[in-house]
Amino acid sequence: SCDNQESSSCERWYLPQNVFIAPTPIRGYTLDPFYDSVINVLSLMYLMAYLFPLFKTLAGMVEEKEMKIKEGLFIMGVPESAITLSWYLTYAIVYFATALPLTLICKFGLGSAMSGLFPNTSPVILFAFFFMFGMNVLAVCFVLSAFFSKAKVAGICGVVVFFAGYFGYYATAGLSMSAKTALCLLPQIAFALGIESMGNFESAGLGLDFSNADHVYDEFSFQISILFLFLDFVLYTMLGWYFNKVIPREWGVVLPWYFPFLTSYWCPTRVHSSNTKSQVRPTTNSDAIEGVSSELAGLKSQNRCIDIKGLVKEFDTPTG
């Protein structure tokens, strides 16, 4: 009995005699502290690489209006859709050529001088990510071009506005997934959160690929980022199309703000020549009218020329 023994001896009597310590079995993992140190500034460095292309793109779009080049194309019969499409195709090639070396550098580095920042990430994902962000830069320029008439002012202000939108990324810490998703309507924030997701996966030694792009980490997944880059591209293109139609400018016709709801815009009626024949004034002196060439008459029969009817000019004479 412990009553007749010292208390210390009694306590030792009830202690376990053999103690074994074994770690809980878990999968091995890699943690690279480098990405935790630079993740908050890494997206800023990539964003700054797009500021000069943004300046040149926006200044070029506004200069086209400033130099009356766009109006000259309208006079020659070039539709506005063809002008916009030419800008998009031109800069799609430019941003394709920009995204390709960025992908190679991020994946493979610069030889012995610098290792790749995202060596474990799929190169297809890297290329699609950088290319779509470049196309978003183009779409944002299309929107901003509607608000400016001077090329240099547009370029400077556009860079400031675009760069300022990035700092909303620093407010995403601790937010819910729905809040972060809503902020992805700004392509700068969608881009920054995508870079953060890639950094988190690289820090664990995994890298991003198509099998884990939808995995949620810190209330966000890379899949949301890339999907919103596609969505933002369409959204800002539509906004640019709308604002370029309704914002007053020095030259050209401005449509009312509700023009997308007008049937006359989507289905314009054609005025047939048969409806205007009755409005033509008969000419009393047919010798005063110059005849048309056979070539022009052929174009008229094919409805490939402008046929003006009933055009008159009145002159003031001493007799009235």
Side-chain angles (χ1 to χ4, degrees), residues 10 28 33 61 110 117 145 166 169 171 202 204 232 247 251 256 307 311:
C10 184
M61 287 183 172
L110 295 174
L117 290 173
S145 67
Y166 166 80
Y169 161 68
E202 287 290 343
D232 290 344
I247 292 180
W251 302 91
D307 189 9
L311 180 64

Side-chain angles (χ1 to χ4, degrees), residues 198-234:
M198 285 194 290
N200 289 331
F201 277 85
E202 287 290 343
S203 177
L206 300 175
L208 272 170
D209 53 34
F210 293 99
S211 64
N212 60 10
D214 60 339
H215 290 188
V216 177
Y217 180 85
D218 193 19
E219 299 295 330
F220 195 75
S221 70
F222 181 81
Q223 180 177 263
I224 297 175
S225 176
I226 193 68
L227 288 177
F228 263 84
L229 287 179
F230 280 96
L231 175 64
D232 290 344
F233 171 69
V234 176

Side-chain angles (χ1 to χ4, degrees), residues 107-158:
K107 178 67 177 178
F108 304 106
L110 295 174
S112 59
M114 185 184 76
S115 59
L117 290 173
F118 304 110
N120 301 310
T121 300
S122 167
V124 177
I125 289 180
L126 282 172
F127 176 79
F129 183 68
F130 288 123
F131 176 71
M132 283 310 304
F133 182 66
M135 296 305 293
N136 273 268
V137 170
L138 175 60
V140 170
C141 289
F142 187 40
V143 174
L144 295 177
S145 67
F147 297 90
F148 296 95
S149 58
K150 300 295 181 182
K152 290 184 178 180
V153 176
I156 295 172
C157 293

